[in-house]
Amino acid sequence: MSQMVLGIGDLGASNHPDAEIKTYALGSCIAVVLLDPQTRTVGMVHIALPESKINLVKAKEKPGYFADTGLPLLLQEMARHGCQPKGKGLIIKLAGGAAIMDHNDTFNIGKRNLLAIKKILWSYGLGPRSEDVGGTFSRTVSVSVRTGEVILSSPGRPNWKI
Amino acid sequence: MTTSNLHAEIARAIQAAPLLSPIANQLLQVTARADHEMKEVIDLVKCDSLLTARLLRVVNSSAMGLVHQISSVDHAVSYLGERLVVGIAIAECTNEFLGKPLDGYEGESGQLWRHELFTAIASRAVARHARAPLPADLAFTAGLLHDIGKAILSEFLRGTSRELVADIVRGDTADYLTGEQERVGLDHAEVGFELARHWKLPEALAQVIRHHHHPETAEAELRPLIYAVHLGDILAMMGGQGTGSDSMKYHLRQEYAEHFTMSKDDLALLLLECSEEFRKVEASLASLKET
């Protein structure tokens, strides 16, 4: 099995049946997982912040860091694997976006990430099939290309699927 | 085991913890003084050939990206800044202690050190947003040591994380700190404070360690520094650098706003900058482990 590990702001896609895409310890970050049943391709991006306007240099260097630059690039990467360029037919799953207890608006970057991601998906006419977002715990996400199963883990909890 | 037996065991574990090296201790004492000068730091480093070699290795590592090699202590110290000099001295002597897995928190090997490092970087960055001037490098050092209590308490919390997390989710336990107290009668902040006493750390650092989850209970004079670390700790967890099952299960103390001004965009930028700096510093410190 080959494992593609994504750090903050990384994105990737694969249609190799033995591949697994994984990203560790999402705090306020959100992993967007795209699955294409037609081409059996899986893609993921590890988004840290909602909008690229706060640092355009960083957005150019690592577009996956921001929702507004990362999602379009992930769709392009999926298209490179034969998927529909506008994302038609994709199954979308979201995980992450946690917050500290008693947070205020300033510290709820997870929620702002989620809203930005949904807004962009909406602009493509897309929406998540399932999501495991918010709460006060970090998440590690892995997805197998062969099974398409999205597995979540968090210290102190048994693993679960979305 | 009864609570008093547990306390005695924890006290023994604190006494048995490895001490900081004399050079790390001297650097902490000097840099905690508000009126210290860089020359004092350089003079201390010059007296320690091992630390000098380490600093030169880090400053000339590929992660630092220097075009020309630095070969003098003065240049290395001024390039790295006193915070990284102190950080390297601490890393050198706590490598095993802070690098071990945190079984009680289901934390992996190296996770506590990475959390301390991210918190240090973030506490310093938060200090720049203080309403009144704050010693930013001291915030870095305090961040680097704030969770040392976990290295001791982890052993005593072994096997408790699932139940503790479930209690918090159900609302039966207020947060992870309370959960620690419920299970072993002490929390990592208090244990860290006792370890700070054992290590003879400067008082300001000991107080940060003790109050970093409840800065409002500290002496007024120290509160801005403690809030900086409180927020730095939270930023580390948001950035995915927690210590395991306790990540995000602490309260944000809203009173931070009395000491800091930060907009939503400021915080987003802080998280971005700290993640970048963390990546760079972690890579440059990794050169210490190369043979």
Side-chain angles (χ1 to χ4, degrees):
Chain A
M1 189 188 70
S2 62
Q3 198 178 56
M4 186 192 292
V5 176
L6 305 180
I8 300 181
D10 286 342
L11 61 83
S14 176
N15 53 12
H16 195 290
D18 288 336
E20 182 191 58
I21 308 181
K22 187 166 190 173
T23 196
Y24 288 93
L26 297 153
S28 56
C29 297
I30 293 184
V32 180
V33 179
L34 305 182
L35 304 123
D36 185 8
Q38 288 296 321
T39 61
R40 303 197 72 80
T41 303
V42 169
M44 190 194 287
V45 57
H46 181 138
I47 290 169
L49 294 172
E51 292 176 310
S52 57
K53 69 176 185 195
I54 67 159
N55 190 326
L56 295 171
V57 175
K58 180 71 188 171
K60 204 161 187 185
E61 179 196 315
K62 207 159 216 183
Y65 216 97
F66 305 96
D68 59 348
T69 46
L71 277 172
L73 195 65
L74 180 60
L75 285 171
Q76 272 180 40
E77 185 61 13
M78 294 293 282
R80 219 171 53 80
H81 287 76
C83 308
Q84 229 278 330
K86 295 280 180 193
K88 197 178 163 201
L90 291 180
I91 295 169
I92 301 167
K93 299 189 177 187
L94 311 177
I100 197 79
M101 301 171 100
D102 284 347
H103 57 77
N104 55 15
D105 276 356
T106 306
F107 275 80
N108 202 353
I109 289 179
K111 188 178 176 186
R112 295 207 291 285
N113 281 336
L114 181 65
L115 291 175
I117 288 165
K118 288 194 168 172
K119 195 172 146 189
I120 293 153
L121 289 175
W122 184 252
S123 73
Y124 284 89
L126 304 169
R129 167 81 58 93
S130 62
E131 58 186 56
D132 191 289
V133 292
T136 57
F137 53 99
S138 74
R139 296 163 173 92
T140 289
V141 182
S142 64
V143 54
S144 143
V145 174
R146 188 180 301 280
T147 63
E149 280 184 341
V150 181
I151 311 281
L152 270 62
S153 64
S154 180
R157 290 165 183 258
N159 294 355
W160 69 105
K161 284 186 210 171
I162 59 165
Chain B
M1 203 183 288
T2 64
T3 307
S4 61
N5 282 347
L6 259 175
H7 283 192
E9 285 289 319
I10 292 170
R12 266 195 286 277
I14 290 169
Q15 291 302 316
L19 291 172
L20 294 179
S21 64
I23 181 69
N25 223 313
Q26 282 170 303
L27 282 167
L28 286 171
Q29 299 295 341
V30 164
T31 55
R33 277 196 352 252
D35 61 349
H36 74 278
E37 288 174 17
M38 191 62 127
K39 190 178 175 306
E40 294 175 79
V41 174
I42 293 170
D43 288 346
L44 277 175
V45 173
K46 280 180 175 168
C47 293
D48 191 298
S49 56
L50 191 66
L51 182 60
T52 300
R54 299 294 190 222
L55 294 191
L56 292 173
R57 182 183 278 195
V58 171
V59 79
N60 291 311
S61 67
S62 54
M64 283 289 167
L66 290 180
V67 179
H68 300 292
Q69 283 233 321
I70 286 180
S71 54
S72 86
V73 173
D74 301 61
H75 281 164
V77 172
S78 58
Y79 186 82
L80 292 169
E82 74 170 46
R83 68 190 180 283
L84 277 188
V85 172
V86 176
I88 291 163
I90 290 173
E92 188 61 26
C93 60
T94 58
N95 189 19
E96 265 184 49
F97 182 64
L98 295 181
K100 64 185 178 182
L102 285 183
D103 293 338
Y105 299 86
E106 296 190 28
E108 289 169 9
S109 142
Q111 212 167 336
L112 175 57
W113 170 252
R114 287 197 298 277
H115 173 68
E116 298 277 40
L117 186 60
F118 197 114
T119 303
I121 289 165
S123 304
R124 180 171 181 270
V126 166
R128 292 201 311 264
H129 292 264
R131 292 181 190 275
L134 247 186
D137 279 351
L138 188 59
F140 180 96
T141 311
L144 198 62
L145 294 166
H146 79 286
D147 262 351
I148 51 174
K150 286 182 185 171
I152 299 283
L153 205 60
S154 171
E155 294 300 309
F156 298 90
L157 290 171
R158 210 182 272 263
T160 64
S161 52
R162 294 237 164 156
E163 204 184 272
L164 210 163
V165 165
D167 284 353
I168 294 171
V169 171
R170 277 198 305 271
D172 294 342
T173 295
D175 59 11
Y176 220 92
L177 206 67
T178 313
E180 292 171 346
Q181 289 157 2
E182 287 167 357
R183 267 142 193 96
V184 295
L186 288 168
D187 57 54
H188 71 266
E190 205 55 46
V191 172
F193 175 67
E194 292 302 328
L195 182 57
R197 285 266 188 266
H198 179 57
W199 281 356
K200 299 187 170 44
L201 293 184
E203 189 57 21
L205 297 180
Q207 292 302 326
V208 172
I209 292 165
R210 184 178 215 173
H211 297 286
H212 70 272
H213 286 297
H214 287 285
E216 76 283 3
T217 58
E219 277 177 41
E221 195 187 329
L222 283 171
R223 268 180 223 158
L225 176 68
I226 301 176
Y227 273 110
V229 176
H230 176 70
L231 299 181
D233 186 19
I234 289 171
L235 279 164
M237 293 187 262
M238 289 169 68
Q241 295 297 338
T243 52
S245 52
D246 65 324
S247 192
M248 315 295 273
K249 292 178 186 62
Y250 299 100
H251 294 269
L252 168 69
R253 306 302 309 186
Q254 306 278 349
E255 303 89 329
Y256 80 85
E258 292 168 22
H259 306 281
F260 299 89
T261 48
M262 270 182 289
S263 67
K264 288 178 186 174
D265 280 353
D266 288 338
L267 196 80
L269 264 177
L270 267 180
L271 194 56
L272 173 60
E273 287 164 8
C274 294
S275 300
E276 290 295 293
E277 194 182 340
F278 171 74
R279 212 165 43 85
K280 186 176 161 189
V281 173
E282 195 197 15
S284 60
L285 291 185
S287 65
L288 288 174
K289 291 175 189 156
E290 292 161 9
T291 51

